[in-house]
């Protein structure tokens, strides 16, 4: 053992000045560990042993609370539930990370969809050196690229702010905003609610022009869809992504139109 530690303990120790066993128990409790049944011996030897144990426990506690956890999606999407119950869907080649045991404050890269479990005492926060996103009971998508960061709220609300500004934009259901990387400007924008379909596997249309419906379907299924007699038609309904043919059949019958797939 380091002689300086022993000298320090010997110099500072006063009989009856501290309860070694109590200090040992409190240190283990803070680290989430149970103390051993056998008490630590009193006296100088016991104090030195307790000091070593406390140092080891404290070092372990510091290590566990300063480590980083990184969730990574490789070539396919990945769904993970965090310790607080928040459900994370990572698009291919995206990541989410947090420090220690605090999964309520995260950093992301790429495209991530979050179904946040709300906790008013400990708001869920997505942050980096350019922005801060704080939930107000939310389902949202964050798309971070080299060009900027886009946020789309599909349920609830978030506050979205640039770290260079004290003003935050509050985004509610189906609202979106983008923070550009080149000028740090935060602007609200129009983004289709179905931009998050890759994660939710649902299309949501609410009195949506058929042209926009076909645009969203074409983008998701990587096909070209057209309809000659649907320019004045609008669609309301929710559809699962399982089958494009089923969706088209329902739309054709409901709106009395004929949607065609064009060859690329």
């Amino acid at each position: 053992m380091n002689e300086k530690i022993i000298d320090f303990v010997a110099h500072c120790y006063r009989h009856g000045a501290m309860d070694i066993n109590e200090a040992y128990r409190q240190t283990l409790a803070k680290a989430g560990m149970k103390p051993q049944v056998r008490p630590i011996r009193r006296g100088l030897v016991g104090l030195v042993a307790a000091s070593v144990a406390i140092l080891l426990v404290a070092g372990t506690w510091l290590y566990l609370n300063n480590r980083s956890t990184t969730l990574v999606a490789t070539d396919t999407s990945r769904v993970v539930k965090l310790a607080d119950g928040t459900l994370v869907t990572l698009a291919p080649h995206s990541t989410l990370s947090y420090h220690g045991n605090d999964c309520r404050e995260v950093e992301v890269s790429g495209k991530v969809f979050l179904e946040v479990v709300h906790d008013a005492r400990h708001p869920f926060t997505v942050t980096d050196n350019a922005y801060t996103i704080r939930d107000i009971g939310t389902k949202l998508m964050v798309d971070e690229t080299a060009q900027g960061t886009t946020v789309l709220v599909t349920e609830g609300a978030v506050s979205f702010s640039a770290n260079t500004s004290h003003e935050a934009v509050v985004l509610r259901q189906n609202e979106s905003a983008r923070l550009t990387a080149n000028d740090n400007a935060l602007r609200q924008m129009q983004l289709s609610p179905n931009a998050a379909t890759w994660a939710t596997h649902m299309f949501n249309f609410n009195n949506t022009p058929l042209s926009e419906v076909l645009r969203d379907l074409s983008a998701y299924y990587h096909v070209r869809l057209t309809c000659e007699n649907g320019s004045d038609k609008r669609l309301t309904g929710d559809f699962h992504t399982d089958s494009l043919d089923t969706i088209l059949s329902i739309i054709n019958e409901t709106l009395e139109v004929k949607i065609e797939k064009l060859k690329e």
Side-chain angles (χ1 to χ4, degrees):
M1 178 178 292
N2 192 310
E3 292 183 359
K4 291 183 178 180
I5 296 178
I6 297 176
D7 290 342
F8 174 79
V9 173
H11 176 73
C12 295
Y13 174 69
R14 297 291 183 275
H15 180 72
M18 65 177 292
D19 187 333
I20 301 170
N21 292 308
E22 180 60 25
Y24 181 62
R25 282 193 293 268
Q26 290 182 8
T27 303
L28 289 176
K30 289 180 181 179
M33 302 170 64
K34 293 183 179 179
Q36 295 179 353
V37 175
R38 186 175 63 184
I40 297 174
R41 291 173 296 170
R42 297 184 180 275
L44 179 58
V45 175
L47 181 59
V48 172
S51 300
V52 173
I54 290 171
L55 287 173
L56 289 173
V57 171
T60 302
W61 183 84
L62 288 171
Y63 169 76
L64 292 175
N65 283 273
N66 283 280
R67 77 190 193 285
S68 292
T69 299
T70 300
L71 307 175
V72 180
T74 53
D75 294 333
T76 59
S77 297
R78 180 184 178 189
V79 179
V80 180
K81 180 175 285 189
L82 301 182
D84 70 333
T86 292
L87 196 64
V88 178
T89 304
L90 298 163
H93 311 295
S94 299
T95 68
L96 178 145
S97 61
Y98 57 90
H99 296 288
N101 295 318
D102 187 7
C103 64
R104 299 287 294 178
E105 184 168 338
V106 305
E107 298 180 9
V108 304
S109 67
K111 190 183 296 184
V112 180
F113 187 79
L114 301 163
E115 298 180 48
V116 176
V117 173
H118 185 57
D119 182 351
R121 295 172 300 177
H122 192 182
F124 194 94
T125 304
V126 185
T127 185
D128 78 352
N129 59 358
Y131 65 84
T132 299
I133 304 165
R134 186 167 286 109
D135 90 279
I136 313 173
T138 313
K139 293 182 182 180
L140 74 155
M141 180 183 77
V142 181
D143 187 3
E144 183 179 287
T145 67
Q147 290 71 43
T149 300
T150 302
V151 176
L152 168 67
V153 176
T154 62
E155 183 178 306
V158 301
S159 67
F160 183 22
S161 62
N163 290 345
T164 55
S165 172
H166 296 293
E167 295 184 3
V169 173
V170 176
L171 302 175
R172 294 179 173 82
Q173 185 173 2
N174 296 335
E175 293 182 342
S176 54
R178 181 171 176 79
L179 178 67
T180 55
N182 54 357
D183 60 1
N184 258 352
L186 181 59
R187 300 181 179 89
Q188 289 188 260
M189 58 184 294
Q190 291 293 325
L191 193 64
S192 170
N194 294 312
T197 298
W198 64 272
T200 64
H201 306 292
M202 290 293 297
F203 290 104
N204 306 110
F205 302 112
N206 183 17
N207 198 31
T208 307
L210 184 58
S211 59
E212 294 182 19
V213 173
L214 297 184
R215 180 197 62 196
D216 288 350
L217 295 175
S218 296
Y220 184 85
Y221 293 104
H222 305 290
V223 297
R224 292 179 61 196
L225 300 173
T226 185
C227 181
E228 294 183 356
N229 62 333
S231 59
D232 61 340
K233 303 290 186 177
R234 290 178 173 267
L235 180 68
T236 297
D238 299 330
F239 301 89
H240 198 276
T241 59
D242 280 348
S243 170
L244 173 60
D245 289 337
T246 299
I247 296 174
L248 296 182
S249 177
I250 294 172
I251 296 175
N252 284 335
E253 183 176 347
T254 302
L255 299 183
E256 297 181 343
V257 296
K258 185 178 181 181
I259 301 171
E260 296 181 348
K261 295 181 187 178
L262 300 180
K263 294 182 179 181
E264 295 291 345

